[in-house]
Amino acid sequence: SCCANGAERMAQVWLHNEMLQVEGKKMSKSLGNFFTVRDLLDQGVPGEVIRFVMLSTHYRKPMDWTADKAVSALYKINGFIEIVSQLGNLADAKELVPDPELISALGNDLNTHEALARLDRLRDGPEANALAANLVFLGLLTWEELTVRIEKLNSVRELLNRLETQLQEKRVNAKLTKDFSDVDRWKNLLERANVSVMMNSESVNLRAEVDVELEILESLK
């Protein structure tokens, strides 16, 4: 690391975390549950999800990688990004210093679990900029990644607003013609695109889930 980064000394302390488990069992080639970070990335698990799961356990305790934890981390991070996209401003967020309570948690024997818990307490609207700043400080996302993800969220939100109006118009026409085939087609495509479709007698509400398929949404006419 010193050679790669042109530094005489990178750190004064070296730590080894506790044992790594997979679904409650020791990771072992003999058990067939051995994998690397590269394996997870190749399977489509985002880097920020891997980092979040790893940081969610204190280094002194055994870390148990599970599929449920990975899914939970993905939804958690996407939720953070959505809050920042709706209530934050990245330009202002970049001017903020790391949250003192988060720094205190890290200063307490590198308590990464408590540091991540602090992110949850920054979810309120007034703290959206602080949430963004600390997501970057912890290395979960970069500013560039946050920018790209927020731009995609805004595009999806605008697209869904248009599709809600169009789908409602199709429902009104279907009630008159008694032909709901086009409405059903749209609903199926939306669900394939990972969009939840909620309809009642008065309105249509579309909600984007994780990993929205933009190509499918843009194909709807």
Side-chain angles (χ1 to χ4, degrees):
S1 292
C2 290
C3 293
N5 292 279
E8 293 183 3
R9 182 172 61 190
M10 294 294 291
Q12 293 177 292
V13 179
W14 185 86
L15 299 173
H16 191 298
N17 63 290
E18 254 281 11
M19 297 299 295
L20 177 61
Q21 300 176 338
V22 180
E23 303 291 346
K25 296 180 181 180
K26 178 183 176 181
M27 177 184 274
S28 168
K29 288 185 177 180
S30 62
L31 295 176
N33 64 354
F34 178 85
F35 55 82
T36 66
V37 170
R38 172 52 56 191
D39 293 331
L40 292 175
L41 292 171
D42 289 343
Q43 293 166 18
V45 181
E48 63 269 21
V49 168
I50 300 172
R51 293 191 286 275
F52 191 98
V53 174
M54 295 291 288
L55 292 174
S56 64
T57 300
H58 193 279
Y59 77 91
R60 290 183 183 270
K61 296 181 180 179
M63 206 290 286
D64 188 19
W65 175 274
T66 69
D68 286 345
K69 284 184 179 180
V71 172
S72 177
L74 180 61
Y75 276 93
K76 177 85 72 174
I77 293 168
N78 283 349
F80 288 153
I81 296 171
E82 186 165 359
I83 289 169
V84 174
S85 74
Q86 292 180 332
L87 304 171
N89 181 292
L90 293 190
D92 293 338
K94 290 179 181 179
E95 301 299 320
L96 298 179
V97 297
D99 178 76
E101 290 187 37
L102 188 145
I103 292 294
S104 177
L106 294 177
N108 180 21
D109 196 22
L110 200 62
N111 194 338
T112 54
H113 174 79
E114 179 57 32
L116 292 183
R118 177 58 182 158
L119 291 182
D120 270 329
R121 297 193 290 275
L122 293 174
R123 293 174 65 100
D124 294 335
E127 302 285 2
N129 289 339
L131 176 59
N134 287 281
L135 282 170
V136 173
F137 173 73
L138 285 175
L140 293 171
L141 294 162
T142 65
W143 289 115
E144 291 76 14
E145 288 169 334
L146 258 181
T147 299
V148 171
R149 297 282 288 276
I150 287 173
E151 287 175 352
K152 179 179 178 181
L153 266 179
N154 290 337
S155 296
V156 169
R157 197 174 291 123
E158 291 177 7
L159 185 52
L160 290 184
N161 287 339
R162 176 176 63 79
L163 294 178
E164 280 180 350
T165 300
Q166 290 179 297
L167 184 53
Q168 178 61 6
E169 291 173 353
K170 288 180 179 295
R171 290 182 70 228
V172 171
N173 291 332
K175 288 178 181 179
L176 296 174
T177 62
K178 308 301 182 184
D179 181 2
F180 287 84
S181 59
D182 205 26
V183 172
D184 292 337
R185 181 179 69 86
W186 269 51
K187 184 178 178 181
N188 290 334
L189 286 171
L190 286 165
E191 290 174 347
R192 277 177 50 197
N194 294 324
V195 173
S196 294
V197 182
M198 292 156 280
M199 298 187 288
N200 57 40
S201 58
E202 301 296 329
S203 64
V204 170
N205 183 261
L206 303 179
R207 174 173 174 161
E209 301 296 343
V210 175
D211 296 331
V212 172
E213 297 287 346
L214 270 175
E215 289 185 5
I216 295 178
L217 293 184
E218 290 170 349
S219 71
L220 287 169
K221 297 179 179 179

